[in-house]
């Protein structure tokens, strides 16, 4: 049982998640920092904007959304659609288990731990506002940090398809935040986002 005061548990959980992610071999910035740590920080930053009064369970799930993702590389699974979904499901279990262990160590109760597990696994996306908030943060970090490098490697049709699928997963608040980023994108990416939003609207009609 942890002897931390309740008001200190969240900071301790964040620190433990960041330590776990510090082993990420992928670096970002100059000097380079572990990308997984940077990713967690950006997830938390978006959550503060979208849900400033978030519960500790949501804050921890968001910070640990990809905790030690690098332990389960995509290459360990068949490079087909069933292999992709098997990889994604294994990651959900991996992330949920690691978060649960950290929350136990810093003194959270079982209800909070199970809540965080459910959120990070996105078990009731679109029906659970906290799971939806995590998904919005993940989509916004993709658009903010990963979209341009992804777009540089792929053809327009692939980009439109991925962004349309991303857009469909987001809430109205997520759409508003994403739309505010679009004017700062290069012209090509602005055009492709516009096409993707139109495609997402058609799919939802």
């Amino acid at each position: 049982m942890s002897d931390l005061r309740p008001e200190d548990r969240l900071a301790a959980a964040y620190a433990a998640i960041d330590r776990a992610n510090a082993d990420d071999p992928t670096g970002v910035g100059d000097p380079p920092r572990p990308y997984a740590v940077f990713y967690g920080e950006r997830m938390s930053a978006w959550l503060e904007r979208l849900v400033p009064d978030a519960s500790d369970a949501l804050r921890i799930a968001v910070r640990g959304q990809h905790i030690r993702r690098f332990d389960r590389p995509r290459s360990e699974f068949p490079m087909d659609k069933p292999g992709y979904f098997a990889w994604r499901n294994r990651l959900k279990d991996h992330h949920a288990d690691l978060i649960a262990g950290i929350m136990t160590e810093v003194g959270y109760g079982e209800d909070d731990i199970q809540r965080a597990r459910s959120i990070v696994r996105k078990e009731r996306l679109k029906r659970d506002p906290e799971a939806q908030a995590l998904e919005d943060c993940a989509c916004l970090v993709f658009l903010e940090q990963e979209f341009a490098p992804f777009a540089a490697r792929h053809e327009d049709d692939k980009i439109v398809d991925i962004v349309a699928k991303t857009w469909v997963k987001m809430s109205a608040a997520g759409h508003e935040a994403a739309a505010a980023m679009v004017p700062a994108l290069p012209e090509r990416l602005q055009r492709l986002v516009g096409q993707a939003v139109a495609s997402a609207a058609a799919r939802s009609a």
Side-chain angles (χ1 to χ4, degrees):
M1 179 66 67
S2 170
D3 58 1
L4 286 172
R5 296 177 302 172
E7 59 267 30
D8 295 331
R9 290 173 185 164
L10 179 61
Y14 276 8
I17 291 168
D18 292 349
R19 285 195 300 272
N21 281 332
D23 294 332
D24 189 358
T26 301
V28 62
D30 185 18
R33 303 174 61 221
Y35 182 73
V37 175
F38 173 74
Y39 179 89
E41 292 170 349
R42 293 309 306 152
M43 288 286 290
S44 292
W46 274 111
L47 182 65
E48 287 300 319
R49 292 176 61 175
L50 295 176
V51 191
D53 59 347
S55 68
D56 280 14
L58 176 55
R59 291 177 189 275
I60 292 167
V62 163
R63 185 64 157 239
Q65 139 94 345
H66 282 174
I67 184 171
R68 295 195 67 86
R69 184 185 181 94
F70 46 87
D71 287 338
R72 301 287 186 271
R74 175 70 179 90
S75 58
E76 290 184 352
F77 296 80
M79 300 304 289
D80 54 17
K81 186 170 286 188
Y84 172 77
F85 286 115
W87 172 64
R88 290 292 300 274
N89 287 332
R90 181 70 62 83
L91 282 174
K92 288 180 181 180
D93 290 339
H94 183 54
H95 299 151
D97 289 345
L98 290 173
I99 285 173
I102 286 171
M103 292 182 73
T104 298
E105 288 175 7
V106 302
Y108 281 98
E110 190 62 22
D111 288 348
D112 287 328
I113 292 168
Q114 292 305 318
R115 183 70 188 124
R117 288 182 66 97
S118 176
I119 296 167
V120 82
R121 288 181 54 81
K122 294 182 280 192
E123 292 176 345
R124 297 172 57 245
L125 193 61
K126 295 292 187 183
R127 293 175 294 159
D128 180 346
E130 292 192 310
Q132 184 61 57
L134 182 146
E135 183 66 30
D136 283 346
C137 291
C139 293
L140 289 165
V141 173
F142 168 74
L143 291 171
E144 176 189 65
Q145 301 295 333
E146 301 171 352
F147 179 38
F150 174 86
R153 301 192 304 270
H154 296 283
E155 299 296 324
D156 288 6
D157 288 350
K158 174 73 170 178
I159 298 164
V160 169
D161 181 60
I162 292 297
V163 175
K165 290 176 179 175
T166 299
W167 198 263
V168 167
K169 292 188 290 184
M170 298 172 75
S171 70
H175 289 162
E176 182 178 356
M181 284 193 272
V182 172
L185 295 174
E187 186 279 332
R188 173 185 176 237
L189 299 189
Q190 291 187 41
R191 173 173 52 81
L192 294 177
V193 169
Q195 294 174 10
V197 172
S199 175
R203 295 180 190 187
S204 301

